[in-house]
Amino acid sequence: MTYDSKVLLIYTGGTIGMNRNPRTGALEPFDFEHLLQNVPELKQFGTLIETFQFSPPIDSSDMSPRLWTELSHVIANHYQEYDGFVVLHGTDTMAYTASALSYMLENLTKPVIFTGSQLPIGQLRTDGKENLITSIEIAATKDASGHAMVPEVGIYFNGHLLRGNRTTKQSAEEFNAFESFNYPHLVDAGVNITYHQERILKPDFTKPMKPHFRLDNNVIIFSIFPGVREDLIRHIIATPNLKSIVMRTFGSGNAPQSPWLIRALKEGTQHGKVIINISQCMQGCVEMGRYDTGFHLQEAGVISGYDSTVESAVTKLMFLQSHYNDPEQVRRYMQQSIRGEITL
């Protein structure tokens, strides 16, 4: 049989490939081949689907930069053999992994589609079948010139393909588990699959994809809240080896006007710490010149994260820190859109 395209299905773990233990009632991974047996519809594709399995499967709450590097190696090693990649992944950290991979796969010319499910594939009401089938179809689809329709790292869930580094998990209960609040959907799948080409990144198809395998996780996330303590914030900022901080502030990038907080942040930036201001709101943008409180943060050397997600900001810092020792270079690239991750 001749196939129109080839897709590599990478199973890292997650609910989609789990079964309920009859003794404990807990969900646990089962053999990947069993997952494929639950989706006989895959045989109807004009696409050759081959598989790669992480062994043992990874609970996504155990995901780490080391495993992101491993996943980047798997894609890079098989990049020439396939037209697209579908990664089955647990939902809890899927947005972190998709964000990290978007930075690690430079000039990506083929789809890398993350998907999973809220219910195991063997359950009657599973959302896993539709997510898997449509992800494979999107990963295999090319335009009239033979190029991938979606040469991006994306997350497909519940009828929508979202840019990976724009996406956040919004629900632990609903099938509509993910949303990209500050960027519109790349693809909407209903009766027909609609590709919004004006929203999709356009790589240089004449140049190769450049994989990266290094990340530096000397970064921390902390949230500002009413009553936040000076001693604890100072302790975080003074942490040895810490290179950067994702600081989650109120609204459009505001924080308490406490003199000690501004002093502590200024001392941190003067000692080479990169401090990024991200809103705690799911939708909207940090505008540090809008209110006096944001302006004081700017004066302390804190830089805007614009409309970035937390997942994207923290993985972008890991990526940039592994490449640049100079904090000024990291700050400069954090204020540029290098993979479509922020709106400027």
Side-chain angles (χ1 to χ4, degrees), residues 106-122:
E106 184 180 343
N107 195 48
L108 185 64
T109 57
K110 298 177 181 182
V112 175
I113 311 296
F114 283 81
T115 195
S117 66
Q118 296 285 61
L119 287 173
I121 200 113

Side-chain angles (χ1 to χ4, degrees), residues 17-195:
M18 288 191 168
N19 220 349
R20 198 168 293 281
N21 184 309
R23 185 177 60 82
T24 65
L27 291 174
E28 57 187 24
F30 61 78
D31 185 72
F32 187 47
E33 292 304 316
H34 188 57
L35 183 148
L36 296 178
Q37 288 164 21
N38 275 276
V39 196
E41 295 90 340
L42 294 179
K43 295 186 175 68
Q44 296 175 33
F45 272 110
T47 299
L48 176 62
I49 302 163
E50 295 183 335
T51 60
F52 180 95
Q53 180 174 3
F54 275 59
S55 185
I58 302 145
D59 186 301
S60 78
S61 55
D62 290 326
M63 196 50 73
S64 67
R66 179 185 63 80
L67 293 165
W68 294 337
T69 297
E70 194 175 330
L71 182 56
S72 188
H73 273 293
V74 170
I75 292 168
N77 291 343
H78 296 90
Y79 196 73
Q80 299 307 323
E81 301 165 48
Y82 296 95
D83 299 294
F85 302 84
V86 172
V87 183
L88 299 180
H89 192 290
T91 58
D92 285 349
T93 58
M94 189 185 290
Y96 286 96
T97 303
S99 295
L101 266 287
S102 77
Y103 300 118
M104 298 172 82
L105 303 174
E106 184 180 343
N107 195 48
L108 185 64
T109 57
K110 298 177 181 182
V112 175
I113 311 296
F114 283 81
T115 195
S117 66
Q118 296 285 61
L119 287 173
I121 200 113
Q123 289 194 12
L124 195 59
R125 292 181 52 251
T126 185
D127 53 328
K129 278 193 181 185
E130 192 278 322
N131 287 347
L132 176 56
I133 289 166
T134 308
S135 293
I136 290 171
E137 186 163 348
I138 292 170
T141 302
K142 300 174 187 175
D143 62 18
S145 60
H147 294 138
M149 284 288 279
V150 190
E152 286 207 35
V153 177
I155 291 178
Y156 180 82
F157 241 82
N158 196 49
H160 308 296
L161 181 71
L162 316 170
R163 178 168 294 161
N165 58 32
R166 291 284 196 150
T167 304
T168 293
K169 186 176 181 182
Q170 67 170 354
S171 176
E173 296 289 327
E174 297 177 7
F175 288 151
N176 190 25
F178 292 92
E179 189 52 86
S180 55
F181 292 97
N182 290 319
Y183 197 78
H185 302 160
L186 304 180
V187 178
D188 290 302
V191 174
N192 297 305
I193 298 179
T194 304
Y195 294 85

